[in-house]
Amino acid sequence: MKKTYLLLTIALLTNLTLFGQQKEEFKKILGHFVIKVHSVSTQKFSDNIETIDSNTERKWDGNASSLIPPPPPPPVPAVFDTKSRAIHFIIMPKHYTKYAVENDFENDSTTTNGVSEIQKIDRENLKVTRFIPLRFETYEGHKKTYSDFTKYKLLEENKKIRKNIAGYDCFQIILDNIQNNMMVEMYVTEQINLNYHPIFNYREILTNYYPLYIKIYNKDFPNDSFDEYKFFKY
């Protein structure tokens, strides 16, 4: 009996020690990431979507029994290629700081959009405090919640396809969005263990690795309709 109690005590102390090490390792992860956002919608994508919509448009026969005519076709996607937004994500000992800088310096317009909101996210409970610089006002908000991962299916985990991103060793994974025509290519690292991600905040992803490159694209037009997020270490 004494031997059993001794073994249980050793096991408990071992688990507590390991838990403490994990918490300490989690807290040691600090840094400042700048996430450059690149969004693209080309004329090729716009033309093809317009053709598909025109071919599948349903005609209303004008029957009086149909009280509501069919909805109009969706608007044609705009054409753009912009790199004007950068998201700052700062990992502090007790909280995360997140804000976006949206400025376009490629034209002579005097209209600019600076930092409209700064978020402080508690690292323990993910509770959010919002600061509005323009009005110098602070608001307490709800805590961050994880997004629903059920719409995604992991297709590939390619550990042989590797890149060094922001000083971290990363490998490729591919996700399929089973609810629409979108795919996700990511380069993820196993060297970062955090409970929050500023772009792709899914518990199922963060449990295993941390994304440092994300490309969300149309399956049929991977280079003509996408949003790309690249992490850089400040």
Side-chain angles (χ1 to χ4, degrees), residues 83-84 101-109 111-114:
K83 299 180 181 180
S84 61
V101 180
E102 302 191 38
N103 247 324
D104 184 3
F105 298 101
E106 295 181 359
N107 58 52
D108 57 1
S109 172
T111 303
T112 58
N113 298 310

Side-chain angles (χ1 to χ4, degrees), residues 45-170:
F45 173 68
S46 180
D47 291 343
N48 277 273
I49 294 301
E50 186 176 10
T51 301
I52 292 172
D53 289 338
S54 62
N55 290 338
T56 58
E57 182 182 354
R58 291 180 300 145
K59 302 293 184 180
W60 181 46
D61 58 8
N63 189 342
S65 62
S66 300
L67 298 179
I68 303 176
V76 178
V79 175
F80 54 84
D81 185 340
T82 177
K83 299 180 181 180
S84 61
R85 184 157 59 110
I87 299 171
H88 290 251
F89 180 57
I90 306 167
I91 307 165
M92 303 292 288
K94 294 185 178 181
H95 69 270
Y96 307 110
T97 301
K98 175 185 173 184
Y99 61 91
V101 180
E102 302 191 38
N103 247 324
D104 184 3
F105 298 101
E106 295 181 359
N107 58 52
D108 57 1
S109 172
T110 58
T111 303
T112 58
N113 298 310
V115 180
S116 60
E117 177 180 299
I118 301 173
Q119 292 186 4
K120 175 185 174 183
I121 305 160
D122 190 285
R123 287 185 66 166
E124 289 291 343
N125 55 30
L126 298 184
K127 188 174 180 180
V128 179
T129 302
R130 298 168 56 235
F131 173 63
I132 312 300
L134 182 63
R135 300 191 298 271
F136 211 79
E137 294 175 347
T138 303
Y139 302 91
E140 296 294 332
H142 298 290
K143 72 175 185 177
K144 292 286 186 181
T145 56
Y146 294 102
S147 302
D148 180 16
F149 194 71
T150 57
K151 63 182 178 181
Y152 287 105
K153 178 182 179 182
L154 178 63
L155 293 184
E156 299 177 44
E157 184 182 89
N158 301 315
K159 291 197 172 184
K160 292 184 178 180
I161 303 178
R162 310 188 81 92
K163 288 185 179 181
N164 186 291
I165 302 176
Y168 295 92
D169 180 41
C170 301

Side-chain angles (χ1 to χ4, degrees), residues 44 52 181 217-224:
K44 177 182 177 182
I52 292 172
N181 202 40
Y217 60 92
N218 187 288
K219 293 180 185 178
D220 300 324
F221 303 93
N223 296 314
D224 296 284

Side-chain angles (χ1 to χ4, degrees), residues 151-208:
K151 63 182 178 181
Y152 287 105
K153 178 182 179 182
L154 178 63
L155 293 184
E156 299 177 44
E157 184 182 89
N158 301 315
K159 291 197 172 184
K160 292 184 178 180
I161 303 178
R162 310 188 81 92
K163 288 185 179 181
N164 186 291
I165 302 176
Y168 295 92
D169 180 41
C170 301
F171 58 89
Q172 183 194 63
I173 68 172
I174 304 293
L175 302 176
D176 179 21
N177 190 322
I178 59 179
Q179 294 183 353
N180 55 38
N181 202 40
M182 305 300 288
M183 301 279 288
V184 182
E185 177 191 19
M186 293 194 292
Y187 280 85
V188 300
T189 182
E190 296 175 313
Q191 297 174 313
I192 298 178
N193 174 28
L194 294 175
N195 61 347
Y196 173 73
H197 193 279
I199 306 300
F200 210 77
N201 196 40
Y202 292 87
R203 188 193 303 273
E204 290 81 359
I205 294 295
L206 300 182
T207 299
N208 299 304

Side-chain angles (χ1 to χ4, degrees), residues 6-66:
L6 179 60
L7 291 174
L8 288 174
T9 302
I10 293 173
L12 178 60
L13 290 174
T14 301
N15 288 334
L16 288 174
T17 301
L18 289 175
F19 178 77
Q21 290 174 348
Q22 291 172 355
K23 295 290 284 185
E24 184 180 6
E25 181 182 3
F26 169 77
K27 286 299 185 181
K28 282 183 177 180
I29 299 176
L30 306 172
H32 184 167
F33 288 102
V34 178
I35 307 159
K36 300 294 183 69
V37 184
H38 183 198
S39 298
V40 169
S41 178
T42 68
Q43 189 65 53
K44 177 182 177 182
F45 173 68
S46 180
D47 291 343
N48 277 273
I49 294 301
E50 186 176 10
T51 301
I52 292 172
D53 289 338
S54 62
N55 290 338
T56 58
E57 182 182 354
R58 291 180 300 145
K59 302 293 184 180
W60 181 46
D61 58 8
N63 189 342
S65 62
S66 300

